[in-house]
Amino acid sequence: MSLRSARYALRVGLLLVCAVHASCGAPPDYTAEELEAAKAELRDHVRLRTFEAGLLFGEDWVARAPDDAELRALYARQLAGWRLSREIHEQADAILADDPDEPWGHYVRALAYLSEIEYEPAIEPGRRAWEALRRPEVAAAHLESIRNRGAEHLSEVLSTLDPATRLSPEILLMQAEIQSQAQYELNDPTWADSSLATYSELRERWPDHVDGYLGAAEDLFRANRAEEAISLIEQAVALAPGSVDVRQWHWWILFLSNVLPADERRTAVEASIAAFRDSAPESVRGLYALADMYRDLGDEERAKEFEAQVIERAPLSRHATLIYGREYSTERSKLNELYREEGRDSPEYRAQLEVVRDAVYRYLERPLYTDRYKESAYMGLYSALGDMDPVPVEELAEAVRGLARYDRMNPHITYGTALLNMVDSTPYALEAAEIARSRGLQAAVDRAQLTRNSSRTEGEWEQSLRYYLSIVYDAMGWAYFKGGRIEDGRHALERALELTEANRETRYHLGQVYEHFAAEAEAREDDGAETEWFDRAEDSYIAGLGSTRMGENPSQAAIEALYERRNGSRAGIEEYLATLDERDQIRRRDRILESRVEAAGTYEPFHLPRLDGSLVDSADLEGKIAVVHFWGTWCGPCIVEMPEYQKFDVRYRDDPDVRVVSISNDTSREVVEEYLTRNNFDFEVLMDDGYVQRAGIPAWPTTWFLDRDGYVQFVKRGNTAKLDEEFTWRVEAIREEARRP
């Protein structure tokens, strides 16, 4: 019998003994003191990051004391060192099955999500655990769960902890990691010094805690300070010679830096490897680390030997799944290299597409650790199939279905590009529309939610949400249209355009819908409707020519085809294309001037403070053409147009006849000041005191254009892509009207 089989049989036997004892009321085979000693030993494994030995020790003790929630939580912490999310969830299930309110169970649930780097689902169990169980390790999990909210928010939460908790090794480590995170988020390298100082405090207060040495060594190595890093990592090795985490960093620093002459590096690494294997129990995680290191050393044969051992010992493990994925990842890398060197149309690139496809299929047939690992595989499969010529229809459709089942992080691809490809290349347009409707919209909200905590203002977050939603609505609308549900397609596409005007695919798709309506009008000989729909299609294509997104613009070919359709030939098309910008300006200007308020009225007077506290009375606007702009940093459409608004404000800043003011609906003056400073904006801002409610502002942004007598001549609701130009037309129209006798 193998050692692994013997250990498994022993664990099963222990579980059966425990079950018999429980039913008969027999006493456990350990004392209370022994149980507490076991918990202390598990904490030592966390302190030293010796999760391999800790996992084996914890397995045996959980079998002996399965009802002790704290013991299971300490065992789960060993599993978290391996990022074994499935097994951690099983421990949480076992704890919470006995008591749904057990805080250790919620702590373990948070650990399970954090091991998958899923911060949002970890927030609620992390919070519940911390509210009920004021332990440093629980506080650390709570802080880790809100990491996406940004370093500044994390620092605020950190400051609320009691002094004893703040000085615990778990929280000092979190503080150092938060400070390290801040240097990148805030673009301030001085935070790196703060992080190193906190690691130093951790070592001083807790000299036997390996993270004080390991964390600092990692940061120093990344900062190209390997000479300082090597001393710290060697102290960590002395503390924890059997830790995979410590040894891996030791190997990398020895091999990838200049602390040793090049001809001595491999010898030093192999000596460290030998010492590691002597001091640590052989484990799947350790074997996987050895495979990685030998591959870095250029020894592919040894790397594959260790990988084969991983698969033989644990074919269903997370580490085996990572090894299975290496083949298709390698083939995808070759594909990308061929694309750069040979181009998309080369025979070599085309042949490699099939190699990638076959490698992904082999991977998906494997026994994978969890379905999460199918996400990137289906993304690679979709990309390869979509580039084939001809596209394998059924395979592509199934790849998109797989993406919709498993992808969580890329709604702009899965429910945007991929669905559009499914619509254009397969007969499953209406299925694509249903995928967008039933899954895509929620996926867009979920993805935007991940950016909410890192967004500096609500407006920036809303901008992100609108971006993702517009992509899904665009794919849904195009799918409905191509599937024959024309009106549903039109409404979804127009919704996409309301969310984000700059999506050029939406402009093209809407142009196609409008051409369809023009063809219907032509069939029933309704010349007026035909012309109107053709004009709308032309406007949509012209707007699409100026929209963002890289690559080939579909509106270019569409507008040329439309010209030929309306004129019967391409004669004169070059002259026509040369006038597109002018035609676009004329049409937009005509529509704007036609939008002038028919019965101009006055507005509710105001008396509002600037950011510096000085007051502005609306009476100060009398005798001038005034522009009053209502906005807020929480408003996504407002944020989008702010650079254009700054240009417009500068245009009229020195004009004695014109006054431009903005009224912010934010509740915090500090938020507005920080936003203006960060973006180098200096337009005049008045702070709302309830005025927008009194004035009945119905939408954001809203802008009033007042004549010299205080009458509102134009009202613009919603954001404007070409604000500077179109606001200027309104101001100059009012000025021109005033000059007339």
Side-chain angles (χ1 to χ4, degrees):
M1 179 182 291
S2 69
L3 177 62
R4 180 172 176 270
S5 298
R7 292 193 69 261
Y8 177 78
L10 175 62
R11 292 210 317 271
V12 171
L14 286 169
L15 286 169
L16 289 172
V17 169
C18 291
V20 171
H21 284 177
S23 63
C24 301
D29 66 344
Y30 55 85
T31 66
E33 291 76 12
E34 288 174 327
L35 179 60
E36 290 307 309
K39 293 178 182 178
E41 184 166 340
L42 287 171
R43 288 193 171 89
D44 281 342
H45 285 302
V46 174
R47 173 176 61 82
L48 297 173
R49 301 188 75 84
T50 48
F51 299 119
E52 295 67 42
L55 186 147
L56 297 174
F57 182 79
E59 277 182 345
D60 291 338
W61 266 97
V62 167
R64 296 173 69 184
D67 296 329
D68 192 294
E70 182 182 11
L71 179 73
R72 280 191 181 272
L74 289 167
Y75 171 54
R77 183 63 184 87
Q78 316 302 316
L79 295 169
W82 289 52
R83 290 184 58 193
L84 300 181
S85 60
R86 188 182 66 201
E87 290 83 350
I88 303 171
H89 276 298
E90 289 170 358
Q91 294 305 312
D93 291 342
I95 296 171
L96 296 171
D98 291 335
D99 180 0
D101 295 322
E102 170 56 57
W104 282 118
H106 295 298
Y107 164 70
V108 173
R109 184 73 75 202
L111 287 184
Y113 286 122
L114 292 173
S115 70
E116 299 167 345
I117 318 179
E118 289 194 274
Y119 295 113
E120 284 296 319
I123 290 175
E124 180 60 17
R127 180 192 62 77
R128 290 186 65 177
W130 172 238
E131 288 178 351
L133 194 62
R134 297 285 172 162
R135 299 285 293 268
E137 62 264 48
V138 179
H142 172 54
L143 284 164
E144 181 70 19
S145 73
I146 58 175
R147 186 179 283 272
N148 274 352
R149 295 188 177 179
E152 291 179 309
H153 178 75
L154 284 164
S155 297
E156 291 175 8
V157 176
L158 194 66
S159 68
T160 66
L161 302 181
D162 63 273
T165 302
R166 287 200 63 178
L167 294 177
S168 67
E170 295 89 348
I171 300 305
L172 284 172
L173 173 62
M174 276 302 306
Q175 179 178 328
E177 291 179 355
I178 291 166
Q179 290 164 334
S180 182
Q181 177 179 337
Q183 67 176 307
Y184 302 106
E185 284 188 7
L186 306 178
N187 196 26
D188 183 354
T190 60
W191 281 102
D193 295 332
S194 300
S195 176
L196 291 172
T198 301
Y199 281 125
S200 178
E201 183 180 2
L202 174 54
R203 295 193 299 275
E204 181 179 344
R205 291 182 179 277
W206 307 92
D208 62 347
H209 203 292
V210 76
D211 279 317
Y213 306 89
L214 178 61
E218 291 180 30
D219 279 5
L220 288 166
F221 179 70
R222 291 191 180 102
N224 296 318
R225 295 164 64 179
E227 291 287 348
E228 298 169 75
I230 193 65
S231 172
L232 289 164
I233 199 63
E234 288 180 346
Q235 291 179 73
V237 167
L239 274 173
S243 167
V244 170
D245 295 333
V246 170
R247 286 292 184 176
Q248 279 191 302
W249 276 100
H250 189 216
W251 303 335
W252 291 331
I253 293 171
L254 288 173
F255 187 67
L256 299 175
S257 72
N258 294 321
V259 295
L260 292 175
D263 59 351
E264 297 179 14
R265 294 172 192 170
R266 177 166 184 144
T267 301
V269 170
E270 290 194 320
S272 180
I273 287 174
F276 165 68
R277 300 191 74 182
D278 287 342
S279 58
E282 194 165 81
S283 68
V284 167
R285 184 169 181 250
L287 292 168
Y288 183 85
L290 290 169
D292 262 3
M293 192 62 232
Y294 273 106
R295 185 165 280 108
D296 288 341
L297 291 171
D299 193 337
E300 188 68 23
E301 184 177 345
R302 291 295 303 279
K304 288 183 176 179
E305 287 176 8
F306 286 116
E307 288 178 344
Q309 292 182 52
V310 170
I311 293 171
E312 180 184 358
R313 292 176 180 222
L316 301 179
S317 67
R318 171 179 174 269
H319 295 90
T321 294
L322 294 173
I323 293 169
Y324 301 149
R326 192 184 299 281
E327 179 193 2
Y328 85 78
S329 295
T330 299
E331 299 302 343
R332 283 186 67 185
S333 296
K334 292 179 184 177
L335 182 70
N336 293 334
E337 185 177 344
L338 285 169
Y339 174 76
R340 290 192 299 270
E341 294 180 357
E342 306 293 337
R344 189 185 300 272
D345 296 325
S346 68
E348 296 84 359
Y349 180 81
R350 294 292 172 190
Q352 186 64 19
L353 289 172
E354 296 186 10
V355 174
V356 170
R357 176 193 61 188
D358 294 343
V360 174
Y361 283 144
R362 285 193 294 274
Y363 174 77
L364 291 171
E365 290 171 358
R366 296 274 198 171
L368 303 181
Y369 178 64
T370 67
D371 284 344
R372 281 199 62 200
Y373 291 89
K374 295 180 180 179
E375 178 179 346
S376 62
Y378 273 108
M379 187 65 73
L381 180 62
Y382 156 72
S383 298
L385 295 171
D387 257 7
M388 289 183 178
D389 186 15
V391 172
V393 172
E394 295 299 330
E395 290 182 76
L396 179 71
E398 189 55 38
V400 175
R401 294 179 188 118
L403 271 180
R405 282 194 297 271
Y406 300 114
D407 179 61
R408 300 168 306 150
M409 298 302 294
N410 304 286
H412 56 300
I413 297 176
T414 298
Y415 302 104
T417 309
L419 284 186
L420 290 174
N421 208 343
M422 187 176 183
V423 171
D424 291 334
S425 304
T426 81
Y428 303 114
L430 290 181
E431 180 186 352
E434 178 58 20
I435 290 172
R437 187 198 64 79
S438 63
R439 298 183 184 180
L441 295 175
Q442 186 59 52
V445 173
D446 292 343
R447 181 64 181 87
Q449 190 65 32
L450 293 178
T451 69
R452 184 165 201 156
N453 298 325
S454 59
S455 299
R456 294 177 182 269
T457 68
E458 282 291 297
E460 290 172 351
W461 171 76
E462 187 186 342
Q463 184 180 350
S464 174
L465 176 62
R466 284 170 170 267
Y467 165 76
Y468 286 115
L469 285 174
S470 73
I471 286 174
V472 178
Y473 272 111
D474 175 62
M476 187 194 309
W478 187 238
Y480 277 137
F481 172 67
K482 297 290 280 188
R485 291 172 56 175
I486 310 302
E487 281 296 336
D488 289 338
R490 174 189 173 188
H491 292 318
L493 289 168
E494 289 178 345
R495 176 60 178 146
L497 199 60
E498 290 173 4
L499 289 162
T500 303
E501 290 186 348
N503 189 331
R504 76 181 189 195
E505 278 73 18
T506 303
R507 296 284 190 181
Y508 165 72
H509 292 150
L510 267 175
Q512 294 287 287
V513 172
Y514 296 153
E515 284 200 59
H516 174 87
F517 288 134
E520 289 185 337
E522 181 182 21
R524 62 177 183 267
E525 299 182 352
D526 186 341
D527 294 341
E530 178 187 356
T531 299
E532 180 183 349
W533 285 117
F534 273 139
D535 286 347
R536 293 183 70 172
E538 183 181 49
D539 286 349
S540 193
Y541 295 143
I542 291 173
L545 291 175
S547 297
T548 59
R549 299 284 287 277
M550 300 295 289
E552 185 177 343
N553 193 327
S555 288
Q556 182 66 48
I559 201 165
E560 292 182 24
L562 178 60
Y563 177 89
E564 187 172 356
R565 181 176 180 180
R566 299 185 77 174
N567 294 277
S569 74
R570 294 179 62 86
I573 193 170
E574 295 302 327
E575 294 81 359
Y576 164 77
L577 294 175
T579 64
L580 285 184
D581 286 343
E582 181 182 355
R583 290 165 64 89
D584 177 47
Q585 284 184 328
I586 291 171
R587 284 189 176 175
R588 284 189 292 114
R589 189 173 185 276
D590 287 346
R591 284 197 298 268
I592 284 170
L593 297 184
E594 289 169 3
S595 71
R596 193 167 190 147
V597 176
E598 291 186 8
T602 57
Y603 62 95
E604 180 77 15
F606 60 76
H607 198 62
L608 298 172
R610 296 186 179 93
L611 294 175
D612 63 7
S614 60
L615 295 175
V616 172
D617 192 325
S618 56
D620 298 340
L621 307 182
E622 293 178 5
K624 295 178 179 290
I625 299 167
V627 179
V628 182
H629 183 67
F630 298 90
W631 69 291
T633 64
W634 50 266
C635 162
C638 304
I639 295 297
V640 171
E641 68 179 8
M642 273 301 139
E644 279 281 306
Y645 180 80
Q646 170 73 16
K647 286 170 57 179
F648 171 74
D649 180 83
V650 170
R651 178 186 298 276
Y652 286 104
R653 190 167 295 176
D654 298 323
D655 190 322
D657 292 333
V658 179
R659 177 74 180 276
V660 179
V661 298
S662 73
I663 299 175
S664 168
N665 185 235
D666 289 280
T667 57
S668 168
R669 185 175 300 175
E670 290 74 18
V671 167
V672 177
E673 289 174 337
E674 191 277 334
Y675 172 77
L676 296 176
T677 300
R678 176 160 45 88
N679 291 282
N680 295 317
F681 295 153
D682 61 352
F683 51 81
E684 184 175 22
V685 179
L686 313 183
M687 294 301 298
D688 179 33
D689 64 353
Y691 174 73
V692 295
Q693 185 174 2
R694 297 193 300 273
I697 300 302
W700 301 87
T702 288
T703 309
W704 293 338
F705 296 83
L706 315 176
D707 64 20
R708 299 178 192 275
D709 297 321
Y711 286 87
V712 180
Q713 297 292 338
F714 293 95
V715 176
K716 175 65 176 78
R717 297 189 179 96
N719 69 339
T720 306
K722 298 181 179 181
L723 181 149
D724 180 34
E725 181 177 60
E726 295 185 6
F727 277 23
T728 297
W729 290 338
R730 292 177 173 93
V731 168
E732 295 306 320
I734 295 173
R735 191 186 328 242
E736 183 178 344
E737 179 71 20
R739 288 172 179 159
R740 292 174 185 167

